[in-house]
Amino acid sequence: MLRDKAVTGMQLTLIIAALLILSSIGYAMGRRRAVAAGRGGALRLHSRPSYHGAYVALWCALPSLLLLVLWSIAEPRLAEWLLIARLPDSIRALDPDRLGLLVLDVKNLAVGNIVSREIDPALQAAAEGYNRFLTLSTAAMVVVAISIGVVGAARAIRGVSPAFRARNQVEKVARNIMLAASIIAVLTTVGIVLSLLFEALRFFDQVPFFDFLFGTRWSPQTALRADQVGASGEFGAVPLFAGTLLITVIAMCVATPVGLFSAIYMSEYAGPRFRATAKPMLEILAGVPTVVYGFFAALTVAPFVRGVGESIGLSVASESALAAGGVMGIMIIPFISSLSDDVMNAVPQSLRDGAYALGATKSETIRQVIFPAALPGIVGGMLLAVSRAIGETMIVVMAAGLAANLTANPLEAVTTVTVQIVTLLVGDQEFDSAKTLAAFALGLVLFTATLALNVVALYVVRKYREKYD
Amino acid sequence: MQTATLTDVTVNAGHLGGVVKLRGASAAKMTARDVNVYYGEAQALRQVDLDIGEKRITALIGPSGCGKSTFLRCLNRMNDVIEGCRVTGRIEMDGEDIYDTALDVVRLRARVGMVFQKPNPFPKSIFDNIAYGPRIHGFANHKNDLDEIVQTSLERAGLWLEVKDRLAAPGTGLSGGQQQRLCIARAIAVDPDVILMDEPCSALDPIATAKIEELMDELRTSLTIVIVTHSMQQAARVSQHTAFFHLGSLIECGDTDEIFTNPQDERTQGYITGRFG
């Protein structure tokens, strides 16, 4: 199987390279022909020569590429169908599962992999037939693709004439390529949401929706046998969301003042030299891997928090929400500071001048004119920071623990939605138990929550935007 | 460029209605002496001496880059905001040095308002735009006082009838001419002695321009106005005094009629007749 893929992969690359060369030749020829056709006046041609060239190149490359895509979808199916059709009747009479295993073995045999059964002549023959078909098919694909390219290019070159509207055609193709690109992004999102949704629905078959959403106990251990301890898993998600909320709030309490004040300082007070060095350094905070923050939280901050807590007579868990949230707050500072700095810088100087000319002091100008004008952008930065905090996993795993406590005390260990998703899915799992499916349900709720947050943010920003130009 | 020396100004100061003597003149609201302005190394103004007559409109004219806007911005120290800008010389207002370190620039700007080339209403409601200055200076202790200030300012700016039913609407939603009158009303609301106008009509159509000019003429009864303009006609229409700047120097100043009909310097002559600029 492996060698098979590698070989066709390389052949595919070669064909695509050949097509590219072919279409660049087509481009040059089409262009030359257009130049020749346009001789005797710069405006004789409807489209510039390069558009004629591009038109030829597109006709050379696009149909062949389309064919390649279709071929590589159809080829394996066709090969398998032929393989089965040639097998002896006695084997074809097997039930579908066993037939599937056998076909897999034939394919393995064909490429020289290890086979899980005795090789009899019938299998050997089938494997050879399979190989022959693939070789033939690949050769045919090369020939057909190249000739379609040549024919397409030749057709397009013949069509070059001063009146031909090559520009419009090329631009139409370009527009459709861009459309396709944006559709890919949208479809991917839809696909992710749907897969989340279907798996979550399977989970809700086993655990009632409201038990999940409003239950206050989270203990996702399900037993394999009925007589084991903890046979009944409990899937109340409230402690997880409370933990997420607690950590996010702590993080925002750290990040908002620090980020906002540093942004105000950098955009309004700092000299250009300080700004040029401080801003990139702040942005480095966003580039530090979260694992490193995790170390920092677990090995430095958490013991420190505990030490301080004990010295004033508080009992602090060694893994506390405060440590994780605080470090997470440091991590998201740049989201707030950098974006806020940019939007405050974008507030036109004329507004500052207007305020100064009325006798406003610098701080009045910042608080009453610049800040309100920049507010939509600042809110946007903060919401970005919030969604980053909600989605953050590694710091919490390392510093806040796994215990699903329902508490508002930042000194205790809590856990978050993302951490539980990770612990539910790592290791060997069956994919139809409530335990694993719970991860999808959590993911779905988390997704809904962040989506709602974004919608609210968009609404707020649109409603309170103060237009300044 | 050293021609605009003290003697020239002394001669020309004689044109200022015969009332203005050069130093310590009683009818001069603001006086500038030996003013030099540098942006970093480059010198933008050289040795400018100019008196601004009280309750008069003084027009500053000259080709682009001649320093007239720079001079205007010296009068309420808006140049302080610009990095690397340095002002030397002495500018007095009512006999008080406005560059004195003891004088608070915030108080100065409350007395010398400014209207800019491009209308720059704050992204707030019409009411809040006007109320902004009185609020920060603590003029109004009561909501009613504030309402009254807003109404009188808008009335004086000739905008009240157009906006009185939509004071809560955003100031940025007004037309360009209305926005500029809103900015004038905003400046008036602080009750300044002087208003500086930096090409206030350059972004406006002729009808809006006419309204603003009319407004300036009315305001002249109670305040002093200094206007920078690129339009000769506008300077001739609205101002009583005109000062001509060229390459950072004050070339000539005097009564507007005098400058436009009988300029002493050939560069002034050349500029106002459109030979360069």
Side-chain angles (χ1 to χ4, degrees):
Chain A
M1 219 36 197
L2 221 92
R3 202 184 63 175
D4 173 19
K5 274 265 169 351
V7 169
T8 36
M10 206 177 76
Q11 278 165 345
L12 215 62
T13 320
L14 279 178
I15 295 177
I16 290 174
L19 278 176
L20 280 180
I21 294 170
L22 211 60
S23 48
S24 22
I25 294 171
Y27 175 85
M29 284 171 70
R31 198 175 180 283
R32 251 215 349 248
R33 207 177 146 93
V35 170
R39 206 157 281 153
L43 291 177
R44 250 171 60 82
L45 280 176
H46 168 271
S47 306
R48 293 205 188 90
S50 58
Y51 278 109
H52 286 281
Y55 180 73
V56 174
L58 283 176
W59 260 108
C60 177
L62 279 188
S64 321
L65 284 176
L66 197 68
L67 177 91
L68 286 185
V69 170
L70 291 180
W71 201 294
S72 38
I73 293 172
E75 187 183 52
R77 277 154 229 273
L78 201 64
E80 196 175 307
W81 180 75
L82 271 176
L83 172 66
I84 295 173
R86 280 197 205 130
L87 286 173
D89 287 344
S90 61
I91 298 178
R92 272 197 291 164
L94 289 170
D95 65 277
D97 282 353
R98 300 188 57 184
L99 185 64
L101 281 175
L102 186 114
V103 166
L104 205 64
D105 268 339
V106 173
K107 285 182 188 168
N108 277 337
L109 186 64
V111 292
N113 279 353
I114 298 165
V115 179
S116 65
R117 67 184 75 202
E118 293 277 310
I119 304 165
D120 60 29
L123 281 190
Q124 191 70 49
E128 275 165 19
Y130 181 75
N131 263 345
R132 254 199 318 277
F133 173 75
L134 280 188
T135 319
L136 200 71
S137 150
T138 308
M141 179 173 79
V142 172
V143 172
V144 174
I146 301 283
S147 36
I148 284 185
V150 171
V151 170
R155 218 191 74 104
I157 288 177
R158 204 141 18 89
V160 171
S161 77
F164 180 64
R165 303 185 164 229
R167 170 167 36 88
N168 308 27
Q169 300 290 329
V170 171
E171 277 172 359
K172 200 188 288 171
V173 172
R175 208 173 57 215
N176 286 331
I177 289 174
M178 289 178 223
L179 179 71
S182 49
I183 285 177
I184 286 174
V186 172
L187 286 185
T188 313
T189 316
V190 171
I192 290 174
V193 172
L194 285 184
S195 74
L196 266 183
L197 192 66
F198 287 130
E199 298 295 325
L201 285 179
R202 282 176 65 194
F203 171 73
F204 291 128
D205 280 346
Q206 301 180 26
V207 177
F209 180 68
F210 288 103
D211 285 6
F212 169 74
L213 212 56
F214 300 114
T216 55
R217 286 182 50 81
W218 177 263
S219 153
Q221 305 312 322
T222 45
L224 293 172
R225 293 189 314 274
D227 57 337
Q228 274 180 320
V229 184
S232 61
E234 284 179 287
F235 295 96
V238 169
L240 306 188
F241 285 99
T244 304
L245 193 68
L246 179 64
I247 287 192
T248 306
V249 166
I250 295 171
M252 289 308 284
C253 284
V254 172
T256 308
V258 176
L260 221 49
F261 287 143
S262 69
I264 291 173
Y265 180 75
M266 279 195 293
S267 85
E268 302 300 322
Y269 291 98
R273 233 212 256 126
F274 178 82
R275 190 165 182 269
T277 43
K279 203 175 175 203
M281 279 170 72
L282 246 176
E283 278 163 5
I284 288 176
L285 279 181
V288 175
T290 55
V291 166
V292 176
Y293 280 113
F295 290 145
F296 180 59
L299 302 181
T300 314
V301 180
F304 174 76
V305 169
R306 192 177 51 171
V308 171
E310 275 169 358
S311 69
I312 56 171
L314 290 170
S315 85
V316 182
S318 55
E319 293 178 318
S320 64
L322 190 62
V327 172
M328 200 188 284
I330 304 286
M331 180 186 80
I332 59 180
I333 284 172
F335 286 91
I336 297 180
S337 73
S338 196
L339 276 168
S340 305
D341 177 31
D342 286 343
V343 289
M344 285 198 278
N345 257 313
V347 173
Q349 180 63 31
S350 68
L351 283 189
R352 292 187 178 88
D353 284 350
Y356 289 142
L358 286 173
T361 61
K362 189 153 191 159
S363 79
E364 283 166 345
T365 307
I366 292 169
R367 273 185 291 124
Q368 296 159 356
V369 176
I370 297 173
F371 191 76
L375 193 62
I378 293 174
V379 171
M382 284 173 60
L383 284 163
L384 201 65
V386 168
S387 28
R388 185 69 209 268
I390 289 178
E392 175 50 39
T393 314
M394 199 44 91
I395 295 176
V396 190
V397 172
M398 294 170 84
L402 299 171
N405 292 325
L406 181 54
T407 175
N409 180 358
L411 303 177
E412 277 183 48
V414 296
T415 191
T416 65
V417 177
T418 50
V419 168
Q420 286 307 313
I421 292 178
V422 171
T423 50
L424 289 175
L425 290 183
V426 289
D428 289 338
Q429 307 286 354
E430 335 162 46
F431 259 81
D432 51 0
S433 74
K435 185 185 169 191
T436 344
L437 291 174
F440 292 97
L442 286 176
L444 184 68
V445 178
L446 198 63
F447 173 79
T448 317
T450 35
L451 188 71
L453 206 65
N454 280 339
V455 171
V456 169
L458 227 66
Y459 174 78
V460 168
V461 166
R462 215 170 278 162
K463 174 145 191 208
Y464 294 102
R465 161 169 298 156
E466 295 191 327
K467 284 208 185 106
Y468 44 70
D469 43 37
Chain B
M1 290 318 108
Q2 294 302 312
T3 42
T5 54
L6 267 176
T7 44
D8 283 345
V9 176
T10 318
V11 170
N12 288 321
H15 293 297
L16 301 182
V19 188
V20 181
K21 285 180 248 93
L22 191 60
R23 289 183 197 274
S26 58
K29 183 70 183 172
M30 301 186 84
T31 57
R33 292 292 173 269
D34 285 342
V35 174
N36 290 286
V37 178
Y38 306 85
Y39 292 122
E41 293 297 303
Q43 189 167 5
L45 273 186
R46 299 162 200 277
Q47 299 284 315
V48 173
D49 296 324
L50 185 65
D51 291 356
I52 309 292
E54 183 160 20
K55 296 190 180 169
R56 299 287 162 85
I57 298 178
T58 305
L60 310 182
I61 60 169
S64 296
C66 68
K68 53 195 189 307
S69 287
T70 300
F71 180 73
L72 192 76
R73 292 170 71 96
C74 288
L75 297 178
N76 67 344
R77 292 181 55 181
M78 281 300 280
N79 282 334
D80 291 15
V81 185
I82 297 169
E83 213 155 304
C85 179
R86 196 156 53 83
V87 180
T88 66
R90 189 174 173 85
I91 300 177
E92 289 180 357
M93 177 172 177
D94 297 330
E96 201 181 348
D97 183 359
I98 66 168
Y99 279 84
D100 189 343
T101 44
L103 183 126
D104 184 16
V105 67
V106 168
R107 273 195 48 227
L108 170 73
R109 291 189 190 136
R111 292 172 63 198
V112 184
M114 189 160 186
V115 175
F116 297 85
Q117 180 171 5
K118 204 178 147 224
N120 59 346
F122 298 132
K124 300 175 188 294
S125 70
I126 294 174
F127 184 94
D128 286 340
N129 260 286
I130 310 292
Y132 184 73
R135 270 192 190 129
I136 56 173
H137 294 298
F139 287 175
N141 302 317
H142 211 267
K143 173 87 171 73
N144 292 344
D145 297 350
L146 203 57
D147 286 346
E148 201 182 312
I149 293 176
V150 170
Q151 180 171 352
T152 26
S153 310
L154 282 169
E155 277 168 355
R156 287 179 72 190
L159 197 60
W160 175 248
L161 291 179
E162 291 162 60
V163 302
K164 65 174 183 207
D165 297 325
R166 45 172 175 151
L167 291 176
T172 42
L174 297 172
S175 74
Q178 288 174 326
Q179 284 189 16
Q180 195 62 298
R181 278 182 284 150
L182 182 70
C183 292
I184 294 176
R186 184 175 73 184
I188 297 171
V190 196
D191 195 21
D193 298 345
V194 181
I195 291 188
L196 310 175
M197 297 187 171
D198 193 355
E199 298 180 43
C201 301
S202 63
L204 305 182
D205 67 56
I207 295 169
T209 302
K211 279 196 179 145
I212 302 244
E213 288 179 2
E214 209 174 293
L215 171 61
M216 288 168 68
D217 208 49
E218 280 162 25
L219 291 176
R220 178 164 69 90
T221 54
S222 51
L223 13 102
T224 305
I225 294 176
V226 186
I227 177 173
V228 165
T229 178
H230 271 134
S231 155
M232 287 321 113
Q233 293 90 331
Q234 184 170 54
R237 279 194 303 262
V238 299
S239 71
Q240 287 77 54
H241 303 312
T242 297
F244 172 63
F245 284 76
H246 184 51
L247 297 174
S249 301
L250 175 66
I251 305 299
E252 188 170 352
C253 69
D255 276 3
T256 300
D257 294 343
E258 200 66 23
I259 294 274
F260 276 91
T261 52
N262 186 21
Q264 303 295 309
D265 192 290
E266 61 181 272
R267 284 166 295 184
T268 317
Q269 169 94 33
Y271 183 69
I272 60 177
T273 54
R275 275 211 301 279
F276 74 93

